[in-house]
Amino acid sequence: MLKKLYVLYLVVFLGISIAAFVIGNYGIHDQKSHIYLLPDGYTGWVEIRYEQEGSPPLIREGKEYVHLIPRTGVLNTSDSPTSGGMEFYYLDEQGKRNKIGLEMIRTQAMKTKDVLTSKGTQEQVSVNVFFVGTGQQWNDAKSRN
């Protein structure tokens, strides 16, 4: 009887272990990543406004979402926010991507914010905001606010 109980325990344990591995592995491989392409040499605030009616969806490169940030630093997209890894690049005139070191990315956060919509109304939207710049540029920007 004890032997049967031990075998049953091993089978259940093995089944749960396999299920946990499959579910965990699926979640990791299904996760999207985000590429942020900024104008060459850009410094300052970047804001991505999600679920903006009439705005284009983000560009897709396989499982990656590409955020092509304009010179204004504000990107409107019809997509909903998603979690995932983040990579930052400057995009030069020839279309070459130059990696931005993480020491240049400051205070990245998802939050809600009141913005003026294209209809002229105030609306709360989900935004991803971060600052690109050196420590000195970051301190200068904070002191202006």
Side-chain angles (χ1 to χ4, degrees), residues 14-120:
L14 185 61
I16 291 171
S17 297
I18 290 171
F21 176 78
V22 168
I23 290 168
N25 201 29
Y26 174 77
I28 289 169
H29 291 295
D30 193 46
Q31 191 174 39
K32 310 290 187 251
S33 62
H34 300 269
I35 296 174
Y36 296 87
L37 301 177
L38 292 96
D40 203 18
Y42 180 88
T43 59
W45 286 102
V46 174
E47 181 175 297
I48 297 92
R49 298 175 180 172
Y50 296 97
E51 299 172 342
Q52 296 299 295
E53 189 177 308
S55 295
L58 296 171
I59 300 164
R60 303 292 199 287
E61 289 180 357
K63 287 187 175 185
E64 298 175 320
Y65 288 92
V66 178
H67 302 71
L68 186 57
I69 308 299
R71 282 244 167 248
T72 62
V74 177
L75 174 65
N76 292 307
T77 179
S78 58
D79 282 325
S80 297
T82 61
S83 62
M86 302 168 74
E87 294 182 27
F88 303 89
Y89 297 89
Y90 283 126
L91 188 63
D92 70 17
E93 300 284 326
Q94 292 74 39
K96 183 177 180 229
R97 296 177 183 182
N98 299 303
K99 193 151 183 89
I100 301 172
L102 290 180
E103 72 279 358
M104 293 284 288
I105 308 301
R106 303 177 190 284
T107 70
Q108 189 279 326
M110 283 294 301
K111 62 183 184 177
T112 57
K113 178 180 177 181
D114 286 330
V115 297
L116 186 61
T117 68
S118 57
K119 301 175 216 167

